[in-house]
Amino acid sequence: MKFVLVTGGVVSGLGKGVTASSVGVVLKACGLRVTSIKIDPYLNTDAGTMSPFEHGEVFVLDDGGEVDLDLGNYERFLDVTLTRDNNITTGKIYQSVLEKERRGNYLGKTVQVVPHITDAIKNWIESVAAIPVDGKEGPADVCVIELGGTVGDIESMPFIEALRQLSFSVGQDNFCLIHVSLIPVLGVVGEQKTKPTQHSVRELRALGLTPHLLACRSAQPLLANTKEKLSQFCHVPIANILNIHDVPNIWHIPLLLRSQNAHHSILQQLNLLSIAAPSDLQAWTKMAETYDNITNSVRIAMVGKYVGLTDSYLSVVKALLHACIACSLKPSIDWIAASDLEDDSANLTPEAHAAAWETLRNAECVLVPGGFGDRGVKGMILAAKYARENNVPYLGICLGMQISVLGLERANSSEFDTESPDNVVIFMPEGSRTHMGSTMRLGSRKTIFQTHDCLSSKLYCNPKYVDERHRHRYEVNPEVIGALEEAGLKFVGKDETGKRMEILELPGHPYYVGSQFHPEFKSRPGRPSPMFLGLILAATKQLEAYLNTHQNGS
Ligand code: GLN
């Protein structure tokens, strides 16, 4: 196994995740099998308890792992299926060491950060790197490890030490370190400053790690003398100084890396030049260029609880992008804070209320994504009702499906009203043996189509069932299905027991679809999620024509 470690310096938010995924893409393009590990040095055992408002979305994996959103980037860029263990956190490492200590496995020894925590990190990395993630057998050729945070952070120290030891034990030819840094431009003269990078490389070297490549983020391309300076002071050959300057869309990044021969430098360091194929990035080139040349757009109203930080719904945004590109459109997403649509806001913040409704009315389709808690729920119900009554295409995901049912009649959800006797959405925890103590229904579950005579079945090309990812506690009350179906809704997808409602549709409406699962997590560039594709096709009045030509899965 060969390792590519990606660290970050100077500031956070440099796009280290996208850089690391793009390195993976470039290596995959040379015929290598690639897996990835994301290290998050925080103490939370996983991202499940972290607020999307602060930390961005919680990404959900097939195995039910609630992980950092960067794993979503890896799955989308490398087209792999990762496991919860591919996301390492300080919390997970300490938990495993402390459990071992309680079992008496350390045989009376003093348990310490070095060597016990560092050993646990090394063992974890080596065993997870060997898990195949691309559907083929046997371990991948290369594992890209991204170390979250910035070099020098106190909490990442045990990881740096463990990675230093790993680099030593796997040997020169099996370890390549890429340090992502920032080259700011200061003052009127606009000089590109190398000092912050020099400092962060010095910090890394003081900890025993020497970067083989630098990936420098900058607004404009790096000048020749900036590269020379970096090379001289950071001990990195000029050919290994990569520059990731601002590009029109992120699919350009693998192309940018290849144009600077990043693959050659990495393969050389890993002694893989002899087995690597010439790099083939045709599909990426096409995707990046197609997107740049699209001129038309479609207006999508996203009605959610968190609208301040778009990373809170990152996978939904990506899934919309994939679906739009398939229709040769650019997504134009209008974010609406659900609470602004509510009647109370008409009195309290009349301008925001008017603007929110104006935006909703101008949209070609409406999407209500998943969420927790009762903030903005009334506004989401109003948005779904508006879409239903005005024949505007609507996609409700998880909470967005639940509220679309709530708006149908004087119904309530026990998540928001524990007193109400006629709850249509009820607490339906899953007695899962693998997720002890947790009440959430998490990860990949089957949805069986009850009929093929519905939009979602046709969009999925009429399979018997689909596997999609879940993350919820509440569901449509199975006792009220009859009444809801009499009112016009159809539950066209259910779980294997027939008790859990997975997909709802409203026949006669151009596209009123809700899913209890989160289709966004499995959407891929070039392979958009059918639920999102349906929304965009309906928004642009192409759905019928599309279904006529793609009826039989062709
Ligand atoms: N809060 C709802 C539930 O727990 C919806 C969850 C979600 O949208 N992910 O069922």
Side-chain angles (χ1 to χ4, degrees):
M1 174 62 64
K2 313 248 176 191
F3 296 95
V4 175
L5 171 63
V6 179
T7 56
V10 184
V11 288
S12 59
L14 282 177
K16 199 159 17 100
V18 174
T19 308
S21 334
S22 302
V23 165
V25 169
V26 169
L27 295 176
K28 193 177 163 192
C30 296
L32 298 168
R33 288 175 58 211
V34 181
T35 181
S36 73
I37 294 176
K38 169 78 198 289
I39 298 176
D40 283 306
Y42 46 66
L43 280 168
N44 307 56
T45 40
D46 63 33
T49 53
M50 299 171 82
S51 159
F53 210 25
E54 246 179 67
H55 198 78
E57 102 184 334
V58 177
F59 191 78
V60 181
L61 298 169
D62 263 1
D63 67 4
E66 297 173 279
V67 294
D68 188 83
L69 53 77
D70 276 319
L71 275 86
N73 277 332
Y74 290 115
E75 284 207 344
R76 286 186 286 266
F77 267 52
L78 299 173
D79 199 11
V80 291
T81 304
L82 299 172
T83 73
R84 65 175 73 229
D85 291 342
N86 290 69
N87 192 188
I88 306 181
T89 66
T90 300
K92 279 184 190 169
I93 297 289
Y94 272 78
Q95 199 170 39
S96 73
V97 170
L98 292 176
E99 276 168 10
K100 255 174 105 176
E101 186 272 334
R102 288 293 81 189
R103 285 197 303 267
N105 292 9
Y106 293 109
L107 305 173
K109 289 256 178 336
T110 311
V111 182
Q112 296 181 295
V113 173
V114 182
H116 301 104
I117 293 292
T118 44
D119 279 352
I121 296 170
K122 276 189 296 177
N123 293 341
W124 193 302
I125 290 176
E126 290 193 292
S127 65
V128 172
I131 302 174
V133 293
D134 55 1
K136 298 189 184 131
E137 278 182 21
D141 302 305
V142 180
C143 176
V144 177
I145 307 172
E146 178 195 348
L147 177 62
T150 307
V151 168
D153 293 348
I154 291 177
E155 53 184 13
S156 61
M157 288 301 178
F159 291 102
I160 298 258
E161 170 58 14
L163 290 160
R164 183 195 66 74
Q165 292 179 19
L166 182 80
S167 73
F168 185 65
S169 65
V170 298
Q172 278 274 352
D173 285 356
N174 298 315
F175 192 83
C176 175
L177 171 51
I178 305 177
H179 188 59
V180 184
S181 181
L182 175 74
I183 305 292
V185 167
L186 279 194
V188 266
V189 233
E191 197 189 344
Q192 294 180 329
K193 294 292 191 185
T194 62
K195 192 74 89 188
T197 305
Q198 293 180 39
H199 279 299
S200 75
V201 170
R202 191 174 303 160
E203 178 117 43
L204 203 52
R205 296 182 64 198
L207 298 168
L209 285 167
T210 302
H212 302 104
L213 286 93
L214 291 182
C216 301
R217 291 280 289 115
S218 61
Q220 299 296 327
L222 285 191
L223 303 172
N225 77 335
T226 312
K227 281 195 176 186
E228 276 160 27
K229 244 187 183 169
L230 284 167
S231 170
Q232 195 173 3
F233 294 121
C234 300
H235 206 76
V236 173
I238 287 204
N240 289 6
I241 297 182
L242 311 172
N243 178 207
I244 303 180
H245 51 79
D246 292 352
V247 283
N249 68 63
I250 59 168
W251 294 323
H252 281 284
I253 308 229
L255 307 177
L256 194 61
L257 290 178
R258 189 193 42 187
S259 71
Q260 299 173 41
N261 272 324
H263 55 304
H264 188 270
S265 303
I266 301 169
L267 294 171
Q268 191 167 36
Q269 173 62 32
L270 296 176
N271 198 13
L272 282 172
L273 276 176
S274 57
I275 67 155
S279 123
D280 174 9
L281 280 173
Q282 264 183 27
W284 282 82
T285 313
K286 191 163 163 253
M287 210 154 57
E289 284 171 3
T290 312
Y291 187 70
D292 289 342
N293 293 327
I294 294 176
T295 45
N296 294 336
S297 62
V298 52
R299 299 193 73 152
I300 305 153
M302 273 268 277
V303 183
K305 178 170 151 187
Y306 315 108
V307 289
L309 179 71
T310 51
D311 270 5
S312 313
Y313 301 109
L314 187 68
S315 294
V316 174
V317 172
K318 296 292 174 196
L320 283 170
L321 180 67
H322 303 158
C324 284
I325 293 182
C327 302
S328 298
L329 292 164
K330 276 193 177 161
S332 160
I333 302 178
D334 288 320
W335 300 85
I336 302 178
S339 48
D340 286 346
L341 294 170
E342 294 173 3
D343 296 345
D344 288 353
S345 129
N347 299 326
L348 296 171
T349 47
E351 276 173 23
H353 180 262
W357 275 99
E358 167 86 10
T359 312
L360 186 64
R361 288 196 190 96
N362 281 333
E364 289 163 87
C365 59
V366 179
L367 194 156
V368 177
F372 290 85
D374 59 3
R375 192 165 95 199
V377 159
K378 278 192 226 140
M380 295 174 200
I381 293 178
L382 289 173
K385 183 167 181 271
Y386 163 82
R388 194 176 69 240
E389 291 174 352
N390 294 282
N391 284 331
V392 179
Y394 174 85
L395 176 61
I397 298 173
C398 207
L399 181 64
M401 161 176 171
Q402 298 170 2
I403 60 95
S404 70
V405 178
L406 297 184
L408 269 192
E409 52 176 85
R410 212 178 34 79
N412 217 325
S413 160
S414 40
E415 182 172 7
F416 323 125
D417 182 357
T418 41
E419 307 286 286
S420 173
D422 57 349
N423 279 333
V424 163
V425 174
I426 57 162
F427 185 51
M428 278 178 68
E430 192 173 60
S432 161
R433 260 170 251 149
T434 47
H435 307 116
M436 268 188 307
S438 137
T439 50
M440 191 92 83
R441 188 162 183 253
L442 273 171
S444 181
R445 297 285 183 276
K446 273 194 176 57
T447 293
I448 321 265
F449 281 107
Q450 310 295 304
T451 167
H452 287 313
D453 187 20
C454 63
L455 295 175
S456 34
S457 169
K458 289 177 190 156
L459 282 161
Y460 274 102
C461 299
N462 295 329
K464 265 207 186 87
Y465 66 86
V466 286
D467 287 312
E468 293 279 9
R469 298 178 184 175
H470 295 71
R471 182 174 187 247
H472 60 100
R473 294 188 178 88
Y474 293 85
E475 285 183 46
V476 181
N477 185 352
E479 312 248 299
V480 301
I481 299 308
L484 290 171
E485 294 210 313
E486 265 165 42
L489 279 187
K490 282 269 162 297
F491 290 91
V492 299
K494 299 184 184 175
D495 80 331
E496 286 157 307
T497 67
K499 292 215 170 67
R500 297 178 191 270
M501 302 303 122
E502 290 282 5
I503 307 176
L504 70 75
E505 289 190 12
L506 182 65
H509 188 284
Y511 194 80
Y512 192 83
V513 177
S515 68
Q516 187 56 72
F517 53 76
H518 289 267
E520 69 271 26
F521 294 133
K522 286 177 72 170
S523 184
R524 296 281 189 271
R527 232 172 41 238
S529 159
M531 299 296 249
F532 285 81
L533 185 62
L535 179 73
I536 301 302
L537 287 167
T540 49
K541 310 212 165 19
Q542 304 176 70
L543 181 57
E544 211 172 315
Y546 174 88
L547 291 178
N548 286 338
T549 49
H550 292 76
Q551 266 300 341
N552 302 312
S554 54

